Amino acid sequence: TLLSRPSYMHDGGLFFDDDGKAYVFYGSGRLAQLKDDLSDVDPQGLNVDLTRWTRTPEETALLEGSHAVKRGDYYYLLMISMAWGEPGRIRREVCYRAKNLAGPYERKVILEVPFESWGGLGQGDIVQRQGKWYAMIFQDRGGVGRVPCAMPVRWVDDWPMLGDVNEK
């Protein structure tokens, strides 16, 4: 028996497209199509470096926690973004969307609030249940760990905005 180890994909998020093909978004914007048996990257499949993301100057850390979802004509990729080591840094959830899985993608901050002085929220996904959309993301509370937080999602101009109408 030959043992193999699949490719390493930092903080990967699994995504199944409408045609049943499986992909992993990982790192700070890489996309790899998997083999049909999900055992590794398909060397003949779609493998794209999407790391040409538009960032603001204070975004100095990795974009992590890639989670993808498709709604209507768009693919949405949600990731956490922040400035590491900056005083008063706050986590934010950013969303990239495109009409083609391989891009080009456009960017929007979809949540950026301090939330009980713990430095914001980020890294998670959105889901639809009984016709309504919700976000499940976490807040890092140091020694307490990563606290899960659920909130409503509002769709504004085809962007998933997290929180209520008052951005709470």
Side-chain angles (χ1 to χ4, degrees):
T1 302
L2 177 64
L3 297 175
S4 68
R5 181 177 183 160
S7 304
Y8 175 73
M9 295 177 213
H10 174 75
D11 219 0
L14 184 61
F15 174 73
F16 290 92
D17 205 351
D18 295 338
D19 61 3
K21 298 285 184 190
Y23 300 87
V24 174
F25 284 94
Y26 65 101
S28 286
R30 288 181 165 53
L31 168 64
Q33 183 174 339
L34 299 179
K35 294 178 181 178
D36 290 340
D37 66 1
L38 309 180
S39 63
D40 201 351
V41 172
D42 182 347
Q44 307 305 315
L46 179 65
N47 295 289
V48 183
D49 182 355
L50 303 169
T51 57
R52 297 176 301 276
W53 302 119
T54 302
R55 293 187 187 201
T56 58
E58 72 273 7
E59 291 176 318
T60 56
L62 294 172
L63 295 169
E64 294 184 299
S66 303
H67 289 87
V69 66
K70 186 174 183 187
R71 177 182 179 262
D73 293 334
Y74 287 103
Y75 293 92
Y76 296 90
L77 181 60
L78 285 74
M79 294 184 278
I80 188 173
S81 167
M82 63 185 301
W84 289 103
E86 298 291 326
R89 67 187 169 96
I90 186 169
R91 294 172 187 266
R92 66 177 66 113
E93 189 73 7
V94 294
C95 180
Y96 291 86
R97 75 175 184 188
K99 291 192 174 187
N100 183 301
L101 191 60
Y105 283 81
E106 55 186 326
R107 172 191 182 273
K108 186 171 189 70
V109 174
I110 60 173
L111 181 69
E112 186 174 17
V113 295
F115 193 65
E116 299 181 4
S117 74
W118 282 94
L121 302 145
Q123 197 163 330
D125 206 355
I126 58 175
V127 296
Q128 184 179 26
R129 178 158 165 66
Q130 298 177 344
K132 295 182 181 179
W133 285 84
Y134 301 92
M136 179 60 102
I137 59 179
F138 77 80
Q139 183 176 53
D140 193 341
R141 291 197 176 189
V144 173
R146 294 179 169 182
V147 177
C149 300
M151 64 191 68
V153 173
R154 300 170 289 113
W155 288 94
V156 179
D157 297 326
D158 282 322
W159 287 100
M161 303 305 293
L162 280 52
D164 64 18
V165 293
N166 298 313
E167 298 180 359
K168 300 289 182 189

